[in-house]
Amino acid sequence: MTIDETPKGSAHEIERYSGLFARRSQGMRSSAMRDMMAITARPEVISLATGLPDTTTFPAEDFAALMTRVAVDSTATALQYGPTEGQDDVRRAIVQVMAAEGMAVEEEDLIVTTGGQQVIDLVCRTFVDPGDVVVAEGPTYPGAVPCFSSFQADVVQVEMDDDGMSIDVLAETLERLRAENRRPKFIYTIPSFQNPAGVTMSLERRRALVRIAHEQELVILEDNPYGLLRYEGDPLPTLRSLDGGRYVVYLGTFSKILSAGLRLGWAAAPRPILEKLNLGKQAADLCSSALTQHFVAAYFDQRDWRAYLDKLRALYRRRRDVMLEALEEHLPAEATWTRPRGGLFIWAKLPDYIDTTDLLARALRENVAFVPGRAAYLDGRGGSEMRLNFSGVSDDDIREGVRRIGKVVSEQVALYGTLTGLKPAARPAPEAQVLPLRRREAS
Ligand SMILES: Cc1ncc(COP(=O)(O)O)c(C=O)c1O
């Protein structure tokens, strides 16, 4: 028998396996952000693309001391499998974090997961058969898109404005779906400092959304990685606290308040749902890392997690302001963008004639990256929009990155002007620059 020397990944090799792949795998698509991590890892590239928390802010000596303590006190358990639902001491820490956002939760209502990302996967695994409807915001978290796709969900995206998801449009959408006899499996929302749009759902809309869920017995998946990263204004109640834990599956994570490398998040859910999530997790990975759970437990026991959060808030607030100022200076008058009161992202909208996927190729030649808007939609929308991250980059890199983006955008605007004979627009007053997210036409 001869050894097949066809290069790996060749068309021939793909063909060899394709007849074996599950139908589900046809829907699988790569996450735009994951793809970009390879490009943006190049040191010369300023990445405003990935939503990285700034882990350089975590004191090395604290990390060393806590890890040493774990190693000395808990070698055997830290190196062992743990319970699927997570360690008790970690769930006690989660109770504290949720209390800081006004939620009273019992340890038994929680499951520790491998990042918040796993909650999205487990919720899809639990609820979604191929073709089932999931309602999400438009734009939605780009990392949820591959998950919805791989479960072959039919995702209906409801547009937002500065107050988050439009509840009127949601109500119309639900009405239309009801007429088609299609009950959504869940409504996926990131109410606070939304990724990618940066907007926050108003209190009135939060109440209305929970009311709709109760009236129509619909499950809401509330994804809240950023609620504690508030830079101004008063905190708003989470959907879970308004709902009382009846219809809301709540997703939290340590990624943005402590470390993404721990890969630890959680879900708080009504018990029947929690049991299914637990069964799904048993099949997926048995349990989340005992080693990093020990680190979290030691951290909450030995350090002031709120003080670190204050430090992050101050840093990200400043970087947000630097980015807003740079956008003002470098983007042409035709562009608009959101002014987030927290979180990690700004969403910018360019003139319709600019395609941000094409623009990214030009931007990369200038060694700067952003996430093109289409990554946040499942229906091809978002072509002239982009997500910009300000948390993981220094002030200077934010200024320089935005300058480079401004350069490529301005070139496109000038080219369009030359081709059409139209003059570039004058810059509107700053208050008029808040992104007027278009409303979806009722269909
Ligand atoms: C809205 C949202 N949900 C979930 C996640 C997943 O985060 P992790 O798996 O690191 O907890 C992220 C990460 O950026 C996010 O922005």
Side-chain angles (χ1 to χ4, degrees):
M1 197 165 76
T2 56
I3 294 173
D4 181 358
E5 287 179 354
T6 317
K8 278 203 166 55
S10 68
H12 177 78
E13 197 185 12
I14 292 167
E15 214 172 285
R16 189 190 307 152
Y17 303 121
S18 62
L20 300 171
F21 289 149
R23 266 194 298 281
R24 187 177 56 250
S25 74
Q26 287 163 11
M28 286 178 177
R29 51 189 267 193
S30 180
S31 151
M33 291 138 17
R34 297 273 104 202
D35 285 349
M36 287 181 54
M37 270 186 111
I39 304 169
T40 55
R42 298 200 323 248
E44 66 278 17
V45 175
I46 297 177
S47 177
L48 307 178
T50 36
L52 300 185
D54 190 339
T55 43
T56 64
T57 54
F58 197 86
E61 54 283 11
D62 281 1
F63 184 62
L66 293 167
M67 277 313 219
T68 303
R69 180 178 152 175
V70 169
V72 171
D73 293 354
S74 318
T75 312
T77 47
L79 298 181
Q80 193 53 277
Y81 298 108
T84 302
E85 62 275 17
Q87 290 177 195
D88 290 346
D89 45 13
V90 173
R91 290 194 293 164
R92 280 197 292 278
I94 293 168
V95 169
Q96 275 188 54
V97 175
M98 289 182 69
E101 286 201 80
M103 289 172 281
V105 66
E106 316 250 314
E107 284 161 48
E108 291 70 31
D109 296 326
L110 297 169
I111 182 168
V112 176
T113 56
T114 302
Q117 187 71 26
Q118 189 177 42
V119 178
I120 305 173
D121 182 89
L122 293 177
V123 168
C124 285
R125 215 179 262 244
T126 300
F127 286 98
V128 178
D129 285 317
D132 280 349
V133 175
V134 170
V135 174
E137 287 148 346
T140 191
Y141 164 48
V145 169
C147 195
F148 295 148
S149 302
S150 68
F151 284 95
Q152 298 168 280
D154 180 3
V155 182
V156 178
Q157 290 185 267
V158 174
E159 287 199 5
M160 294 183 290
D161 57 26
D162 283 333
D163 285 332
M165 186 196 289
S166 161
I167 300 299
D168 290 347
V169 179
L170 173 71
E172 285 162 18
T173 305
L174 293 175
E175 187 61 49
R176 177 171 56 80
L177 289 167
R178 204 174 20 250
E180 294 166 7
N181 218 2
R182 305 179 75 206
R183 186 172 178 223
K185 287 303 181 75
F186 61 88
I187 300 171
Y188 174 63
T189 174
I190 306 149
S192 295
F193 319 125
Q194 205 248 12
N195 176 4
V199 296
T200 292
M201 191 184 287
S202 65
L203 178 57
E204 196 188 328
R205 288 192 184 176
R206 285 171 194 240
R207 290 209 171 105
L209 176 55
V210 169
R211 199 164 45 240
I212 287 177
H214 284 212
E215 281 166 7
Q216 303 190 21
E217 301 196 318
L218 295 172
V219 169
I220 297 173
L221 175 53
E222 176 178 29
D223 189 351
N224 187 29
Y226 306 108
L228 289 169
L229 292 175
R230 169 177 287 279
Y231 314 135
E232 60 192 47
D234 296 324
L236 291 173
T238 61
L239 299 176
R240 188 180 192 282
S241 54
L242 294 172
D243 155 80
R246 289 171 62 203
Y247 289 96
V248 172
V249 176
Y250 178 88
L251 178 170
T253 177
F254 289 108
S255 287
K256 312 297 158 121
I257 58 168
L258 175 54
S259 148
L262 300 170
R263 304 307 305 126
L264 290 178
W266 67 88
R271 300 279 166 95
I273 298 178
L274 202 65
E275 277 167 27
K276 290 287 185 196
L277 301 184
N278 188 305
L279 293 176
K281 184 168 169 64
Q282 290 178 30
D285 65 357
L286 308 177
C287 60
S288 295
S289 163
L291 182 60
T292 59
Q293 286 189 67
H294 272 78
F295 175 82
V296 167
Y299 175 73
F300 274 77
D301 185 41
Q302 298 277 298
R303 296 291 185 277
D304 183 352
W305 69 276
R306 289 161 190 276
Y308 182 55
L309 194 58
D310 284 343
K311 182 167 152 182
L312 290 178
R313 272 196 286 253
L315 178 71
Y316 297 161
R317 180 188 297 115
R318 193 189 72 223
R319 288 183 177 169
R320 174 204 60 173
D321 292 344
V322 169
M323 181 169 272
L324 286 172
E325 221 173 83
L327 288 167
E328 194 74 48
E329 186 177 346
H330 297 295
L331 280 204
E334 288 85 349
T336 56
W337 54 87
T338 51
R339 292 166 185 275
R341 280 168 280 156
L344 310 184
F345 305 105
I346 290 175
W347 185 247
K349 180 165 175 6
L350 305 179
D352 288 341
Y353 57 82
I354 295 184
D355 183 306
T356 50
T357 308
D358 293 345
L359 192 78
L360 177 62
R362 291 171 195 277
L364 286 172
R365 286 203 285 276
E366 300 288 332
N367 285 328
V368 63
F370 54 81
V371 173
R374 280 203 191 89
Y377 288 91
L378 288 98
D379 56 11
R381 282 184 287 167
S384 62
E385 293 158 26
M386 62 164 78
R387 189 190 77 174
L388 299 166
N389 166 262
F390 51 80
S391 60
V393 224
S394 70
D395 295 9
D396 285 349
D397 278 356
I398 292 173
R399 286 192 199 95
E400 178 57 19
V402 172
R403 189 193 67 75
R404 291 180 195 175
I405 290 173
K407 176 171 175 265
V408 289
V409 172
S410 300
E411 283 164 7
Q412 293 299 294
V413 171
L415 182 65
Y416 182 79
T418 312
L419 294 175
T420 60
L422 295 173
K423 282 209 180 88
R427 174 169 299 288
E431 60 275 16
Q433 251 170 278
V434 174
L435 178 61
L437 293 153
R438 281 157 296 135
R439 292 185 126 220
R440 184 194 174 99
E441 296 303 319
S443 50

